[in-house]
Amino acid sequence: MADEKFNAEALAKPTSDDGSELPPPPSNYVYKLDLRLIPLLGCTYTLLFLDRTNIANARIEGLEKGLNMPSNGYNTCLWIFFIPFVLVEIPTNMIMGLPRVKPNLFLGGSMLVLGVISMCQGLTHTYGGLLACRFLMGILEATLPAGAALLLSEYYTRKEQPLRFAMFFTFGVLGPLVSGLLAYGIRRMNGVQGKEGWRWIFIIEGLATIAISFLVFLYVPNFPEKTNILSGADKEHLLEKLRRDKGDQKLSMKSVNWLAVLSDWKIWLPTMMFFCCDMTAASIVSFTPTILTELGWKAERAQVMSIPIWVTGFVFELGAGYLSSRTGWRFPFILFGITLATIGWIIQIVYSESKGLAPGVRYFSLFAMSAGTFLQMAMTMSWMTNNLRGRASVAVGTAMILGLGNCANFVASNVFIKGEAPFYPTGFRTGLGITVAGAAFCVMHVALLWWHNQKLSRKRAEVGGEDDQREYRYQY
């Protein structure tokens, strides 16, 4: 039975095949990696959520009227962004994993062009121009979060990953938080240089993206085996630690069985779980400002009142990541997050059916939804990468979970019908159903992992010990 338990101590002190422990590192380089990797890579995820939320903030400030958009124009702007985002996510991540591709140039170049196009949203004078910008942004943003997650997963052991991914995804929560603050301040620029306030939201946030891209060019490192940010001794220790924790990673993608990788249930089930939790995130991000104003708060106050919602997600995400790293468990935290999100959806449905406006209670439900959904995102990503071996699998997995998983935005942008505001019964019922489906996928995933570990334990017992590690124990 001891073999069935997660061995946190073994992960903290990886051992070689002969049982010898890895000697202590020459220096505490993990914190150096944290400072070098997480803030800049996290900014790539912030941009994704910033671009989701700034259009919602711009809507409050008069975007639809300013461009004479049709009645369904706003929803179209939301889903047209995610068509290219989903289609090019996997190919771009496979390209980034190639030996000759440098992550800083790949990610920095994408971010630079993205910033320019983001600014163009505030300069266009037609609805068609806005749609074109949104489509091009989807192509460029597809390279950013998945590529950043791939690079991040390469530098940390399975024990270290939950907290680091929580920190990474926390930058996603900062997107709507920063967007709300900026929108609150930028709305006062209405009329500056003859431009409406909603235009300045896009222009200033585009300029910020361009500025960050230069930092990515300068400071994002290469993959661990080629990194130059660590001393020789530290680099050697890092590579050995990663080898003992994850096995020998395939650096060449030429010999990979892509069919096996693309059909791996250890990728597909977490992707479906991510899809289900992202339904909640997409709904919050896209419609919270509108819901707050329709509950009676004016635009200026609605921008500010959205900020505590994202702060709550921030706190729960980091707290769960820390506890997961300490305990070694993943799925209990995911189920807890699903429970919180479910409570939020149920509250919305109750008041949708009762037709009774209760701003305080509905406002509380958004906190439960934020805490539950962002907790799940970080934990699901960490859980998936913990159970994959090889750069090819991780590249495809991180791309699928952020690409196909984000398809929930297609659903969210179409089930919140403008004519049903402010109760949105169709949207809330759909959100609840998809969230509950996420719980089913989580239980199924745990069952398959447990079944594999049981089978592997019996196999190892028959041969009298460990096998050659081509098969390995999955983590729960």
Side-chain angles (χ1 to χ4, degrees), residues 27-198:
S27 67
N28 197 356
Y29 61 81
V30 174
Y31 292 107
K32 182 178 180 180
L33 294 176
D34 291 343
L35 293 174
R36 189 68 176 265
L37 290 166
I38 295 173
L40 280 177
L41 295 179
C43 283
T44 66
Y45 202 60
T46 300
L47 292 175
L48 175 61
F49 275 83
L50 197 61
D51 289 327
R52 287 188 191 180
T53 53
N54 62 14
I55 193 170
N57 296 126
R59 185 188 194 187
I60 293 176
E61 304 302 332
L63 168 67
E64 292 171 299
K65 182 179 180 181
L67 292 182
N68 194 27
M69 293 166 58
S71 59
N72 65 339
Y74 178 73
N75 282 353
T76 302
C77 287
L78 295 180
W79 63 255
I80 199 171
F81 170 89
F82 286 98
I83 292 176
F85 184 87
V86 171
L87 292 178
V88 305
E89 189 103 37
I90 294 176
T92 55
N93 231 30
M94 291 165 61
I95 292 172
M96 182 171 157
L98 295 175
R100 296 184 180 181
V101 176
K102 294 183 177 180
N104 65 320
L105 299 180
F106 189 74
L107 297 176
S110 298
M111 189 177 291
L112 176 62
V113 180
L114 176 66
V116 173
I117 297 176
S118 182
M119 288 180 59
C120 290
Q121 292 181 108
L123 300 175
T124 185
H125 290 278
T126 66
Y127 170 57
L130 179 63
L131 290 180
C133 289
R134 299 290 296 175
F135 185 85
L136 293 174
M137 288 173 62
I139 295 174
L140 292 162
E141 283 204 15
T143 67
L144 296 176
L150 169 61
L151 185 60
L152 199 64
S153 68
E154 291 288 304
Y155 271 92
Y156 295 102
T157 64
R158 290 171 294 169
K159 176 179 173 61
E160 296 165 342
Q161 281 184 14
L163 180 57
R164 273 69 188 185
F165 271 119
M167 296 164 69
F168 172 73
F169 277 90
T170 293
F171 279 83
V173 184
L174 289 177
L177 175 60
V178 171
S179 184
L181 287 171
L182 287 176
Y184 177 71
I186 294 173
R187 74 187 308 270
R188 301 178 183 274
M189 296 180 65
N190 186 45
V192 175
Q193 297 292 317
K195 292 180 173 59
E196 301 98 314
W198 66 264

Side-chain angles (χ1 to χ4, degrees), residues 243-375:
R243 187 193 70 79
R244 297 188 185 197
D245 180 67
K246 303 178 183 181
D248 291 321
Q249 302 286 302
K250 290 183 178 180
L251 303 183
S252 173
M253 295 195 177
K254 295 181 180 179
S255 59
V256 175
N257 184 344
W258 290 109
L259 180 61
V261 171
L262 291 170
S263 60
D264 191 347
W265 59 268
K266 299 189 300 299
I267 294 176
W268 278 102
L269 282 174
T271 297
M272 297 306 299
M273 291 161 54
F274 196 95
F275 173 93
C276 293
C277 73
D278 195 53
M279 174 63 190
T280 305
S283 302
I284 297 174
V285 167
S286 298
F287 297 98
T288 287
T290 304
I291 289 174
L292 295 183
T293 55
E294 288 171 344
L295 287 175
W297 287 320
K298 295 181 179 180
E300 184 173 354
R301 188 183 180 192
Q303 304 283 20
V304 176
M305 295 300 287
S306 68
I307 294 171
I309 298 170
W310 312 118
V311 173
T312 301
F314 177 100
V315 172
F316 273 76
E317 192 167 46
L318 283 180
Y322 173 77
L323 292 174
S324 178
S325 287
R326 299 285 294 179
T327 63
W329 291 98
R330 310 287 181 264
F331 84 90
F333 296 98
I334 293 176
L335 290 177
F336 174 67
I338 293 173
T339 301
L340 289 177
T342 300
I343 291 172
W345 284 115
I346 290 174
I347 291 174
Q348 293 289 357
I349 290 173
V350 168
Y351 282 90
S352 168
E353 294 176 347
S354 67
K355 305 296 182 184
L357 286 174
V361 178
R362 297 192 77 193
Y363 187 50
F364 165 78
S365 74
L366 295 175
F367 285 83
M369 294 163 76
S370 176
T373 190
F374 290 110
L375 182 160

Side-chain angles (χ1 to χ4, degrees), residues 167-246:
M167 296 164 69
F168 172 73
F169 277 90
T170 293
F171 279 83
V173 184
L174 289 177
L177 175 60
V178 171
S179 184
L181 287 171
L182 287 176
Y184 177 71
I186 294 173
R187 74 187 308 270
R188 301 178 183 274
M189 296 180 65
N190 186 45
V192 175
Q193 297 292 317
K195 292 180 173 59
E196 301 98 314
W198 66 264
R199 293 185 181 275
W200 285 111
I201 292 176
F202 292 127
I203 293 170
I204 292 179
E205 292 179 4
L207 287 171
T209 301
I210 293 172
I212 294 172
S213 71
F214 290 106
L215 296 178
V216 173
F217 278 123
L218 293 173
Y219 295 110
V220 167
N222 209 326
F223 287 104
E225 71 276 3
K226 296 180 180 179
T227 189
N228 60 1
I229 64 173
L230 296 177
S231 67
D234 285 341
K235 179 179 176 180
E236 183 179 345
H237 187 277
L238 170 66
L239 294 176
E240 178 62 16
K241 179 178 69 171
L242 294 173
R243 187 193 70 79
R244 297 188 185 197
D245 180 67
K246 303 178 183 181

